[in-house]
Amino acid sequence: MKEKIIGLLNGAIDVLDAAQVAEILEEPPKKELGDYAFPCFRLAKEMHKAPQMIASEIAEKIEKPDFVDRIEVQGAYVNFFVNKTQNAEGIIAASIKDTYGSVDSNGKVICIDYSSPNVAKNFHVGHLRTTVIGNSLYKIFTKLGYKVERINHLGDWGTQFGKLIVAYKKWGSEEEVKEKGIEELMRLYVLFHDKADEDPELFDEARGWFHKMETGDEEALKIWKWFFDISLEEFKRTYNLMGMEFDHFTGESFYRDMTQGVVDELTEKGLLTDSEGAKIVDLSEYDMAPCLILKNDGSSIYATRDIAAVEYRKKTYNFEKCLYVTGQEQKLHFSQVFKVMELLGNDWAKDSLIHIPYGLVSLAGEKLSTRGGNVIYAEDILKEAISKIREIIDEKNPDLSEEEKTEASRIVGVGAVIFNDLYNQRIKDVSFSWSHITSFEGETGPYVQYTYARCSSILRNFEGFTPSADIDYSVLTDDTSSELLKEISKFPGIIEEAADRYEPSVVARYAVDLAQAFNRFYTENRIMVDEENVRNARLTVTAITRRILRDSLDLLGIGVVEKM
């Protein structure tokens, strides 16, 4: 319907094209102002007329079609009141398809670099943001037909492993590491720094061990690989809990043999400069600090490996875009890496390499269970959410089977944490408040999941019902039905907006709006009625809403349950 309104306006306005009309067209905040409104202020300067006069002239030029009930001029606005029956028919005809919101494959590739925890360190609550944002972007771009490469660029290389090897050899044991895993590796890492405060020469030993790693020393690489395998096993346990997978666990170490090629290329193009024994790319011309390529002992640094990673990904996947989902504190680092890629003569780098920053995680002053110290594990957050949801389900719906309660608690608990993160604009800080996160009311994940379960419950009462576009659309012209259909019609545009802005919160907020619109519809419109035409029309809308709620949650990386 919106496209039809744009077509009417485009035919009546000579100075704007269809895209410009679409940009200006609005949805009024009050239903008495119509379904769509076109403000004429922007045209006043170009047409040298008062906006009110322009609005009247546009309205006079348009011959009212049958899909519009009336056109009114109110001040500088041309307001359109659509035919609600035809509007309902158009929306149902489009949205009843299982592929609603999807786009056929365009053959283009997007690489998304996200999650990327540091090996031998906790997968802590701070890693949740990059993980859930990146996973949602993967879902969104896949829905739009892209082939997405999910890359977990593990922090598995660098001097910190030299420190860890020194600590392990001096104060650790194979038995303790096997028994306690990352917890023991973290203890050793902290112990190294405590000891190094008293004996700074330990830092030289650590650099020496990392140099051995870089030069292929068998013992150094064997210990490093052991630490890597222990860490990845623990990381995957958290990913499995969240229902997430990756296509590639290619961390910094994967590119270590490619860094010399980066150095050679930079040298050949005259971009490397000596600086106190180190090698840098001077970026002062671009108001940036220098990009360090080689340390003064000849070791590579993460910027070197990131440049190698970009070149490898472009060559291997020929990506349209490569997205980096990391904290906003890494803005300078990626600006430097992207600029170096441009200076190497890669014209595509300016538009194809994109840093997607996000804010910090706050715990709202609440004490959360930890495994000791001041580090909060992501796994602990997720398990605590599952536990709290289980308590609510036990109280509210004790008739569910043990299997149903366990599954619902996991899906809703994990979903509650993910939704709380993604409902906020990613650049803003996220706060954990258990009373809000686990609430089944308000703008929360459990509220949306409960609405889905309500739709499922309604449809179970009508076993054998099949949604159909062959229904009585006049039944769906009341206010709450029209408002629900309007939300349904927005879904494809919501996905595109979320992709354009790299902003999953667009989908999360839409899911809440859709759930609220359905619950108003359900309150005002009885479904279990004798009139078959009324019942079938309302059941069809319920079935469509159910599927879009499921698809919206899936775009956020959240599952659904049929009973709650």
Side-chain angles (χ1 to χ4, degrees):
M1 190 62 73
K2 185 176 181 180
E3 293 299 320
K4 289 181 178 180
I5 300 296
I6 291 169
L8 290 178
L9 287 164
N10 190 40
I13 303 171
D14 296 331
V15 295
L16 298 178
D17 59 26
Q20 292 169 317
V21 171
E23 185 181 330
I24 299 172
L25 189 64
E26 301 175 355
E27 292 185 20
K30 298 179 180 179
K31 60 185 178 183
E32 55 265 29
L33 297 175
D35 297 289
Y36 298 97
F38 184 80
C40 298
F41 303 104
R42 178 171 163 179
L43 299 176
K45 185 176 180 181
E46 199 160 347
M47 298 179 69
H48 306 291
K49 295 179 182 177
Q52 295 88 337
M53 184 181 296
I54 297 171
S56 296
E57 290 178 357
I58 291 174
E60 288 174 8
K61 285 183 180 180
I62 297 174
E63 184 176 345
K64 187 181 78 65
D66 60 359
F67 61 82
V68 173
D69 277 344
R70 67 185 190 275
I71 302 171
E72 292 181 357
V73 175
Q74 296 189 20
Y77 289 82
V78 183
N79 295 337
F80 296 84
F81 296 79
V82 303
N83 182 292
K84 293 187 182 301
T85 301
Q86 288 197 33
N87 188 41
E89 183 175 1
I91 292 171
I92 296 292
S95 62
I96 203 168
K97 301 172 184 174
D98 288 339
T99 55
Y100 187 55
S102 299
V103 176
D104 290 338
S105 176
N106 54 30
K108 295 178 180 177
V109 175
I110 288 182
C111 293
I112 308 182
D113 179 325
Y114 64 106
S115 195
S116 310
N118 291 319
V119 164
K121 293 186 180 179
N122 309 115
F123 190 105
H124 57 74
V125 67
H127 290 123
L128 278 176
R129 295 225 67 192
T130 169
T131 305
V132 302
I133 292 169
N135 186 63
S136 181
L137 291 175
Y138 148 68
K139 299 264 190 178
I140 289 166
F141 280 105
T142 300
K143 186 82 169 175
L144 293 178
Y146 289 88
K147 184 181 187 311
V148 180
E149 300 289 345
R150 298 168 289 180
I151 302 172
N152 199 325
H153 188 77
L154 296 168
D156 63 354
W157 203 249
T159 309
Q160 68 268 31
F161 292 98
K163 297 175 182 178
L164 200 53
I165 291 173
V166 169
Y168 169 69
K169 292 182 74 68
K170 287 183 178 292
W171 310 296
S173 71
E174 183 176 350
E175 293 75 18
E176 287 290 306
V177 172
K178 282 183 176 179
E179 180 185 345
K180 298 179 181 177
I182 286 183
E183 185 179 346
E184 174 64 7
L185 297 180
M186 279 290 292
R187 186 191 73 81
L188 291 172
Y189 188 75
V190 171
L191 182 60
F192 173 88
H193 284 275
D194 290 342
K195 297 287 187 181
D197 287 341
E198 303 168 4
D199 182 8
E201 290 186 4
L202 287 172
F203 286 112
D204 293 329
E205 286 189 53
R207 283 188 285 269
W209 274 103
F210 178 57
H211 186 69
K212 287 182 178 182
M213 287 170 57
E214 291 245 282
T215 53
D217 180 81
E218 186 175 339
E219 181 187 9
L221 290 177
K222 182 179 179 181
I223 298 173
W224 164 80
K225 184 63 167 60
W226 181 38
F227 294 164
F228 175 94
D229 291 341
I230 289 171
S231 303
L232 188 56
E233 183 179 347
E234 294 210 22
F235 296 157
K236 285 185 175 180
R237 189 173 65 241
T238 301
Y239 295 136
N240 289 338
L241 189 59
M242 291 191 286
M244 296 180 186
E245 297 179 343
F246 290 85
D247 299 305
H248 314 283
F249 286 95
T250 45
E252 293 185 71
S253 65
F254 181 80
Y255 307 99
R256 67 183 187 268
D257 294 334
M258 307 176 199
T259 55
Q260 186 57 51
V262 171
V263 174
D264 293 344
E265 189 178 3
L266 290 168
T267 302
E268 180 185 333
K269 300 205 172 178
L271 294 171
L272 272 190
T273 305
D274 287 321
S275 176
E276 299 179 1
K279 298 285 187 181
I280 65 167
V281 176
D282 184 3
L283 299 175
S284 57
E285 181 181 343
Y286 308 98
D287 296 322
M288 276 187 261
C291 183
L292 179 61
I293 300 297
L294 290 177
K295 293 184 281 187
N296 54 18
D297 64 357
S299 297
S300 65
I301 193 168
Y302 50 88
T304 328
R305 297 186 283 275
D306 272 339
I307 294 167
V310 174
E311 294 186 334
Y312 171 84
R313 292 168 186 173
K314 186 65 176 176
K315 180 179 178 181
T316 304
Y317 309 117
N318 191 27
F319 57 74
E320 175 83 1
K321 293 180 181 179
C322 187
L323 313 181
Y324 294 81
V325 185
T326 73
Q328 53 188 328
E329 70 277 2
Q330 293 194 40
K331 179 180 179 181
L332 173 61
H333 165 71
F334 284 106
S335 295
Q336 291 172 318
V337 169
F338 298 169
K339 179 55 69 175
V340 171
M341 288 303 302
E342 287 182 50
L343 295 175
L344 283 170
N346 301 300
D347 294 336
W348 48 264
K350 190 170 184 179
D351 296 321
S352 295
L353 302 177
I354 299 166
H355 179 222
I356 299 174
Y358 55 82
L360 302 173
V361 175
S362 163
L363 298 171
E366 297 187 27
K367 188 178 186 303
L368 301 168
S369 59
T370 71
R371 301 184 186 180
N374 59 0
V375 177
I376 297 171
Y377 281 36
E379 188 176 15
D380 288 336
I381 288 278
L382 295 168
K383 286 184 174 178
E384 191 155 350
I386 293 170
S387 175
K388 289 179 179 295
I389 293 295
R390 176 59 188 260
E391 291 174 6
I392 296 171
I393 290 177
D394 282 340
E395 178 186 348
K396 300 289 186 183
N397 200 347
D399 295 335
L400 290 179
S401 69
E402 179 64 25
E403 183 180 352
E404 288 172 331
K405 288 180 180 179
T406 300
E407 182 69 357
S409 299
R410 182 188 66 80
I411 292 174
V412 178
V414 171
V417 173
I418 294 174
F419 194 92
N420 181 70
D421 188 302
L422 296 181
Y423 189 77
N424 297 273
Q425 291 183 18
R426 58 177 165 76
I427 203 64
K428 293 184 177 180
D429 295 345
V430 167
S431 175
F432 274 94
S433 168
W434 286 121
S435 60
H436 173 72
I437 290 174
T438 58
S439 174
F440 283 77
E441 298 177 355
E443 299 162 351
T444 67
Y447 171 75
V448 178
Q449 289 170 309
Y450 179 76
T451 304
Y452 171 87
R454 168 177 273 182
C455 292
S456 295
S457 176
I458 293 167
L459 293 167
R460 279 197 301 273
N461 290 328
F462 298 92
E463 188 176 348
F465 170 77
T466 302
S468 170
D470 184 19
I471 57 175
D472 182 355
Y473 291 102
S474 67
V475 172
L476 303 173
T477 58
D478 62 282
D479 287 345
T480 56
S481 296
S482 294
E483 286 302 312
L484 176 56
L485 288 169
K486 182 182 285 187
E487 290 301 327
I488 288 172
S489 73
K490 292 178 182 177
F491 185 53
I494 287 291
I495 303 171
E496 292 181 5
E497 182 184 349
D500 289 344
R501 294 171 51 193
Y502 309 109
E503 186 59 84
S505 68
V506 172
V507 177
R509 290 173 182 270
Y510 168 76
V512 169
D513 290 343
L514 180 61
Q516 290 174 340
F518 175 79
N519 286 317
R520 288 192 294 268
F521 163 82
Y522 180 67
T523 300
E524 296 292 329
N525 295 279
R526 287 185 62 237
I527 295 176
M528 196 171 291
V529 294
D530 293 335
E531 298 91 336
E532 186 177 2
N533 65 319
V534 175
R535 187 172 65 244
N536 286 347
R538 291 174 180 169
L539 282 173
T540 293
V541 173
T542 299
I544 291 170
T545 301
R546 174 180 177 271
R547 193 190 68 247
I548 297 176
L549 285 171
R550 181 200 67 201
D551 290 352
S552 297
L553 287 168
D554 181 67
L555 290 173
L556 302 172
I558 297 172
V560 293
V561 291
E562 300 301 319
K563 297 179 181 179
M564 194 181 297

